[in-house]
């Protein structure tokens, strides 16, 4: 399925109905069902329809996948290939992802309710770019020579770690899987990927495309399953050398415990956020900043780890800013994800919508003022939709300000001084991302240095540029995805010292 012509809603709908969906795990060099025979439903949030029953892998299947990964690593079928050879396979995989853009975009949209215009133009091509970025990088990296005495040679060589367990969430299923798998594979590791039980379809398809690209048997495995079963088995497995996790802070903490209780495997944790967006009174373009604030916080229905959900506006411009923000928020309306003109789709599932609505209730009970939204909306029958929701008159103690909601809910507060804004921004357990809007260079320097966040964006909400690492401070986790730093993460330095006899 790869037509270049733009499709309309009806065409996407009929392609969706005709789509043959692969539902099994990929272990070694083939698709296989779970050992127990158990399956789990994939319910589309577009309309509540069951689109597939996917293999529900358990610890037996994780054992088999880790065994395949370990064997491939020990045999050196991938790890010992020259970087230039690994590059070719990863580049071919990137090309195959692009060739299957329509199919993968459709799977992502059916699975996660993301608008088809975004999955086909952003998510899937973006995932392909991740593979080609690491393919391009891997044969251009040098190791180091240490400045030891003249009768010796000290080599600091980066080696792959071994078997990497990658555990990913549902909000950008293929993209985040690519952020893990591409650098881990480029560095020569073998990988077992556990997609979210809420969005396993593109990861399952990725495994077959990787094999088609030339990935040797056992190097890349995919085990769909529940977090408490397949995820937990992977995190505790003695033959897994590292778990690279993206998900909630609560599960991130559990991964640390599982690693400690098993083989002290390395962990990398990309966890939750509650990011501040600080609008200073010297912002050059109030309307532009208000539009950007709304677009950022409501992108992907707010189901974005870096979503700037705490808006801090200078009191002197707060009225003007809010007026403009509400206009833009009013223009963002949920639509059918299969309609190419839709930019705001469905939430991931009923349980998540109920959780988001419980936060709305908590805001109302705590005395915050609900300016817009706050309820389920009807778009497609039995679908999971909720429009942009904005609270004002919120205080730092309220649950809607302290906890990650991971939905389309914005809390607005105002401040009087720069120091007050910094203190409010840092008054959180998280530290993933922060935005500031100002024209004052000295303020940019002062404030960006004091914000406790892994990324600070100035006059911007951020970018998906692969050269910039992402990763948190504090309870947003540790370890960086993207950039060359991810390659460092998936390698370990071996020191080799050689003594010469005749120096
Ligand atoms: P989650 O923590 O519920 O699940 C994430 C993954 O962990 C899933 O694959 C799940 O099956 C698995 N899992 C669950 N319990 C497990 C266990 N006990 N052992 C091992 N694995 C287990 O998160 P989610 O609801 O899928 O995703 C939303 C969260 O992800 C939010 O908190 C969001 O901020 C975070 N996130 C962070 C980033 C980042 O880069 N920091 C990016 C995207 C999402």
């Amino acid at each position: 399925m790869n037509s270049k012509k733009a499709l309309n809603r009806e065409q996407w709908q009929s392609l969706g109905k005709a789509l043959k969906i692969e539902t099994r795990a990929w272990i070694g060099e083939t698709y296989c069902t779970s050992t127990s025979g158990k399956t789990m439903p994939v319910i589309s949030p577009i309309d509540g329809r069951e689109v597939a029953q996917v293999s529900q892998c358990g610890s037996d299947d994780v054992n088999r996948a880790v065994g395949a990964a370990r064997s491939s690593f020990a045999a050196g079928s991938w790890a010992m290939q020259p970087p230039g050879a690994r590059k070719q396979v990863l580049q071919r995989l990137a090309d195959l992802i692009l060739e299957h853009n329509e199919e993968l975009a459709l799977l992502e949209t059916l699975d996660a309710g993301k608008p088809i215009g975004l999955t086909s133009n952003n998510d899937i091509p973006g995932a392909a770019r991740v593979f080609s970025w690491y393919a391009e990088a891997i044969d251009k990296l040098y190791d180091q020579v240490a400045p030891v005495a003249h009768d010796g040679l000290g080599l600091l060589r980066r080696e792959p770690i071994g078997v990497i367990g990658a555990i990913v969430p549902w909000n950008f299923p293929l993209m985040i899987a690519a952020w893990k798998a591409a650098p881990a594979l480029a560095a020569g590791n073998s990988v077992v990927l556990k997609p979210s039980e809420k969005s396993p379809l593109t990861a399952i398809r990725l495994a077959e495309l990787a094999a088609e690209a030339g990935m040797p048997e056992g190097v890349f495995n995919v085990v769909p399953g529940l977090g408490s079963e397949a995820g937990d088995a992977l995190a505790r497995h003695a033959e897994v050398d590292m778990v690279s996790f993206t998900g909630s802070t609560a599960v991130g903490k559990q991964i640390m415990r599982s690693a400690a209780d098993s083989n002290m495997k390395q962990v990398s944790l990309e966890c939750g956020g509650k990011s501040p967006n600080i609008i200073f009174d010297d912002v050059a373009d109030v309307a532009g900043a208000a539009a950007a604030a709304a677009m950022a916080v409501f992108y992907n229905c707010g189901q974005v780890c870096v979503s700037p959900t705490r808006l801090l506006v200078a009191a002197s411009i707060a009225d003007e800013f809010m007026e403009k923000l509400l206009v833009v928020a009013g223009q963002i309306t949920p639509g059918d994800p299969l309609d190419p003109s839709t930019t705001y789709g469905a939430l991931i599932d009923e349980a998540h919508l109920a959780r988001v609505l419980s936060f709305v209730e908590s805001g109302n009970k705590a005395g915050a003022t609900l300016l817009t939204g706050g309820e389920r909306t009807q778009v497609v029958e039995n679908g999971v939709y909720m429009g942009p929701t904005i609270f004002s008159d919120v205080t730092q103690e309220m649950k809607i300000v302290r906890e990650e909601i991971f939905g389309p809910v914005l809390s607005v507060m105002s401040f009087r001084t720069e120091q007050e804004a910094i203190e409010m921004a840092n008054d959180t357990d998280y530290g993933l991302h922060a935005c500031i809007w100002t024209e004052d260079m000295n303020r940019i320097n002062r404030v960006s240095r004091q914000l406790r966040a892994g990324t600070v964006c100035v006059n911007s909400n951020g970018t998906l540029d692969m050269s910039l690492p992402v990763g948190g401070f504090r309870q947003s986790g540790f370890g960086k995805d993207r950039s060359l730093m991810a390659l460092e993460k998936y390698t370990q330095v071996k020191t080799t010292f050689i003594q010469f006899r005749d120096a």
Side-chain angles (χ1 to χ4, degrees):
M1 208 188 291
N2 186 34
S3 101
K4 298 255 178 314
K5 234 176 95 221
L7 304 174
N8 63 29
R9 178 186 180 184
E10 288 67 35
Q11 287 168 317
W12 281 114
Q13 282 173 334
S14 63
L15 281 177
K17 283 189 185 125
L19 194 62
K20 187 183 166 305
I21 298 177
E22 179 53 63
T23 58
R24 293 168 294 170
W26 179 276
I27 297 178
E29 58 175 346
T30 186
Y31 280 125
C32 50
T33 55
S34 60
T35 312
S36 65
K38 275 199 209 164
T39 59
M40 52 189 187
V42 171
I43 307 288
S44 177
I46 297 176
D47 53 7
R49 185 171 67 91
E50 182 182 302
V51 291
Q53 281 282 340
V54 166
S55 295
Q56 184 179 324
C57 293
S59 57
D60 288 346
D61 307 298
V62 168
N63 268 338
R64 285 196 292 139
V66 172
R70 173 58 60 196
S71 300
S72 70
F73 190 71
S77 57
W78 177 248
M80 299 298 282
Q81 283 195 30
R86 295 203 296 270
K87 167 189 182 154
Q88 282 183 3
V89 175
L90 293 172
Q91 187 56 58
R92 175 83 187 115
L93 176 54
D95 294 343
L96 284 171
I97 292 171
L98 289 179
E99 281 169 30
H100 291 80
N101 183 22
E102 258 176 27
E103 178 195 355
L104 291 165
L106 199 46
L107 287 174
E108 205 85 305
T109 291
L110 291 172
D111 211 352
K114 297 162 84 83
I116 192 73
L118 297 183
T119 52
S120 60
N121 290 314
N122 298 358
D123 295 56
I124 307 305
R129 255 196 315 281
V130 176
F131 280 99
S132 55
W133 200 88
Y134 286 105
E136 281 300 333
I138 195 62
D139 63 349
K140 297 171 188 67
L141 297 174
Y142 292 75
D143 286 330
Q144 294 181 31
V145 177
V148 296
H150 287 177
D151 61 350
L153 179 62
L155 302 175
L156 310 186
R157 279 195 294 221
R158 287 208 161 266
E159 297 187 344
I161 296 172
V163 176
I164 310 291
I167 302 178
V168 295
W170 46 261
N171 58 334
F172 293 90
L174 191 64
M175 178 74 90
I176 294 179
W179 285 0
K180 308 272 182 216
L185 291 167
N189 298 283
S190 293
V191 172
V192 179
L193 170 66
K194 211 289 289 166
S196 169
E197 52 272 48
K198 299 187 183 199
S199 61
L201 300 180
T202 47
I204 290 175
R205 191 69 181 91
L206 180 68
E208 193 177 7
L209 294 179
E212 196 180 328
M215 197 72 70
E217 174 181 351
V219 174
F220 183 56
N221 308 272
V222 176
V223 283
L226 303 179
S228 55
E229 295 175 1
D232 188 57
L234 199 54
R236 291 179 188 281
H237 205 290
E239 286 295 323
V240 172
D241 300 298
M242 177 192 193
V243 165
S244 182
F245 169 80
T246 296
S248 61
T249 293
V251 175
K253 289 180 182 179
Q254 180 55 47
I255 301 274
M256 285 181 94
R257 282 190 285 269
S258 303
D261 289 346
S262 52
N263 60 342
M264 212 167 92
K265 57 178 65 67
Q266 295 185 41
V267 292
S268 162
L269 304 174
E270 303 286 343
C271 298
K274 194 75 192 175
S275 304
N277 188 8
I278 312 176
I279 317 293
F280 288 103
D281 57 6
D282 66 335
V283 59
D285 171 10
V286 174
M295 301 308 278
V297 77
F298 298 125
Y299 187 74
N300 205 34
C301 302
Q303 302 166 131
V304 180
C305 54
V306 296
S307 186
T309 50
R310 293 183 296 137
L311 179 62
L312 311 178
V313 191
S316 58
I317 60 162
D319 289 346
E320 181 192 358
F321 191 91
M322 287 310 294
E323 196 183 303
K324 297 192 179 344
L325 178 88
L326 282 165
V327 171
V328 180
Q331 292 160 353
I332 302 174
T333 47
D336 181 348
L338 286 170
D339 183 337
S341 66
T342 295
T343 55
Y344 181 106
L347 275 69
I348 186 70
D349 64 11
E350 289 289 346
H352 189 57
L353 174 63
R355 183 175 176 275
V356 173
L357 289 173
S358 78
F359 275 100
V360 173
E361 196 185 336
S362 146
N364 284 330
K365 277 197 183 139
T369 304
L370 181 63
L371 297 177
T372 187
E375 57 191 13
R376 180 179 199 138
T377 49
Q378 172 86 23
V379 175
V380 180
E381 204 181 343
N382 299 320
V384 187
Y385 301 91
M386 174 182 175
T389 297
I390 302 178
F391 277 112
S392 66
D393 301 315
V394 300
T395 57
Q396 286 289 109
E397 306 73 50
M398 288 182 188
K399 194 174 153 188
I400 54 170
V401 174
R402 302 224 70 83
E403 293 184 24
E404 184 184 43
I405 302 172
F406 216 57
V409 183
L410 175 66
S411 294
V412 187
M413 291 169 276
S414 64
F415 62 86
R416 295 195 181 279
T417 66
E418 180 181 298
Q419 205 47 43
E420 190 189 1
I422 294 168
E423 281 164 20
M424 288 166 80
N426 284 340
D427 183 10
T428 171
D429 292 336
Y430 298 104
L432 190 56
H433 191 90
C435 304
I436 58 177
W437 296 76
T438 174
E439 290 301 299
D440 180 339
M441 288 305 289
N442 294 310
R443 171 177 275 162
I444 289 170
N445 183 40
R446 277 192 309 270
V447 178
S448 62
R449 283 172 184 276
Q450 290 179 75
L451 289 175
R452 298 174 72 186
T455 299
V456 177
C457 291
V458 180
N459 296 330
S460 154
N461 296 311
T463 155
L464 281 175
D465 193 315
M466 281 299 296
S467 64
L468 293 171
V470 285
F473 290 0
R474 309 170 83 191
Q475 293 193 36
S476 291
F478 48 83
K480 302 288 186 190
D481 277 344
R482 300 201 320 220
S483 81
L484 295 181
M485 283 191 175
L487 283 173
E488 284 172 27
K489 177 165 98 171
Y490 294 113
T491 51
Q492 51 197 358
V493 175
K494 178 176 283 173
T495 302
T496 304
F497 176 69
I498 304 169
Q499 179 68 60
F500 299 120
R501 294 191 203 292
D502 58 352

